[in-house]
Amino acid sequence: MILIVDDKPENLIALKRILHKHHFEVDSALSGEEALKKVLKSNYDLILLDVQMPGLDGFEVAESIAGYNKTKDIPIIFLSAVNVKKQFINKGYASGGRDYIIKPFEPDVLILKIKMFIKLYEQTVALQNMQQVLVEEIEFRKQAERTKDEFITMASHELKTPLTSIKGYMQMVERSFVREAKEDARKYLDRTRQQLEKLNILIDDLLDTSKIASGKLDFRNKVYDFDPIIDNAVDIISQTYPSHSILKTGSADVKIYGDQLRLEQVILNYLSNAIKYSPNSFEILFDVSLLSCDEVMVNITDSGIGIPKDKQAELFTRFYRVDESSNRFQGLGMGLYVCAEIIKRHHGRYGVDSEPGKGSSFYFTLPVYQEQSTNN
Ligand code: ADP
């Protein structure tokens, strides 16, 4: 849209007629003050500005327009019948005008100039938009690079910790052999095994996270009885953490269509988190229930450190760790992210109910397999 500014209505009418003939959209202002208000409110592609006006003259209006970020690039063409001397023309260009046309003018020449300046303006705007997109892209990439670096540092640290323990325990095993202390050797081998298991889980999580990112997390889906999957996971955790008891309530006696190992992985992850984040409690509640005949729910409740309400929404996102706990407990913030992906891919739901200092209850649901249905 073109804005024409002139204090004489007859001039506005004449200009409007020429511009309409060439299918331009036109708006008008009868004073410099009105023009400034309009320019700040609406978007114009070009301004035709009379020089001689009472109040703010054309030069002053142009200077003001050049001062606003939003309007500084709008092309301005001055039109004047009175100020035709070189000094005025110079002033016109100095105040930000692109051209200075002396009346009477040739309408066709004016139209050609308008078209050219509008085209240039559109190109400038397109370039600026592109530049903005590029600046944002660069910033995004820099941030991603920083996050990756931080992650590599953290991951190396997390991998190094069990490795250092394994090295230490192996030395103890050697010494126990020298002393022929079989029991001690067994104890240290057992601890080594626990650390190896930690390493294994960390590496599996790393691999799964990268598979999710590349869309390559595969599932071997079959129809399974759900209860044995649960019992198996509970057995594994009970053996790994003999100091903790898992109090199981309910049973489902339903079939599930999905990947047994992946579902076991979710339960193991929920359970090991429940243990990890409850340093002063040794009991975990594990409840299975049927919500309706077509949905089964697993609830794992601990009496641990809990999670502040405002942090709960992000728990299942990649690399997220609650600040308050990240320094005290080892982890990479990948477990729940992988769990969420597995549950989503089984068409289930997941979530948490938690209160700081009291504990957390993590749940997930899965659709029950109906004999005739073909899930997936
Ligand atoms: P990690 O435990 O390796 O940090 P997760 O993805 O398993 O990664 O968990 C993400 C974050 O959620 C954890 O860092 C922790 O802050 C919080 N969290 C998970 N489970 C619990 C829990 N049972 N109690 C308290 N906080 C938990």
Side-chain angles (χ1 to χ4, degrees), residues 4-17 26-30 48:
I4 13 180
V5 190
D6 202 310
D7 59 313
K8 295 186 191 72
E10 62 276 20
N11 285 351
L12 288 180
I13 292 168
L15 269 172
K16 265 188 193 170
R17 198 173 300 134
V26 181
D27 193 6
S28 58
L30 278 163
L48 288 177

Side-chain angles (χ1 to χ4, degrees), residues 135-169:
V135 167
E136 281 165 16
E137 176 71 20
I138 290 170
E139 194 37 53
F140 175 78
R141 281 176 192 230
K142 274 189 188 161
Q143 185 53 41
E145 198 64 23
R146 280 195 289 269
T147 311
K148 199 165 133 194
D149 287 346
E150 282 167 19
F151 179 73
I152 290 173
T153 312
M154 215 165 75
S156 318
H157 177 74
E158 287 296 310
L159 293 171
K160 189 94 192 173
T161 310
L163 264 182
T164 313
S165 306
I166 290 169
K167 238 165 115 182
Y169 288 137

Side-chain angles (χ1 to χ4, degrees), residues 201 237 241 267-277 300:
I201 290 172
I237 290 289
Y241 301 96
I267 302 172
L268 290 176
N269 215 309
Y270 274 28
L271 278 174
S272 41
N273 273 353
I275 291 174
K276 176 161 71 167
Y277 295 105
I300 294 174

Side-chain angles (χ1 to χ4, degrees), residues 158 202 205 269-278 300 302 304-307 314-317 319-326 329-339 352 354 359-362:
E158 287 296 310
L202 271 174
D205 278 352
N269 215 309
Y270 274 28
L271 278 174
S272 41
N273 273 353
I275 291 174
K276 176 161 71 167
Y277 295 105
S278 313
I300 294 174
D302 62 60
I305 59 170
I307 304 148
E314 286 198 77
L315 290 182
F316 291 84
T317 56
F319 305 143
Y320 184 78
R321 307 202 71 216
V322 177
D323 294 339
E324 288 84 344
S325 54
S326 59
F329 303 92
Q330 287 177 357
L332 284 172
M334 293 183 300
L336 290 180
Y337 168 67
V338 176
C339 289
V352 62
S354 179
S360 310
S361 190
F362 279 82

Side-chain angles (χ1 to χ4, degrees), residues 123-141:
Q123 284 171 348
T124 310
V125 171
L127 266 177
Q128 282 170 346
N129 288 344
M130 204 184 290
Q131 192 185 18
Q132 182 59 25
V133 170
L134 280 175
V135 167
E136 281 165 16
E137 176 71 20
I138 290 170
E139 194 37 53
F140 175 78
R141 281 176 192 230

Side-chain angles (χ1 to χ4, degrees), residues 51-71:
V51 174
Q52 190 81 16
M53 289 188 288
L56 284 180
D57 69 18
F59 300 138
E60 288 165 329
V61 174
E63 271 168 18
S64 300
I65 288 174
Y68 298 117
N69 217 12
K70 174 181 177 246
T71 57

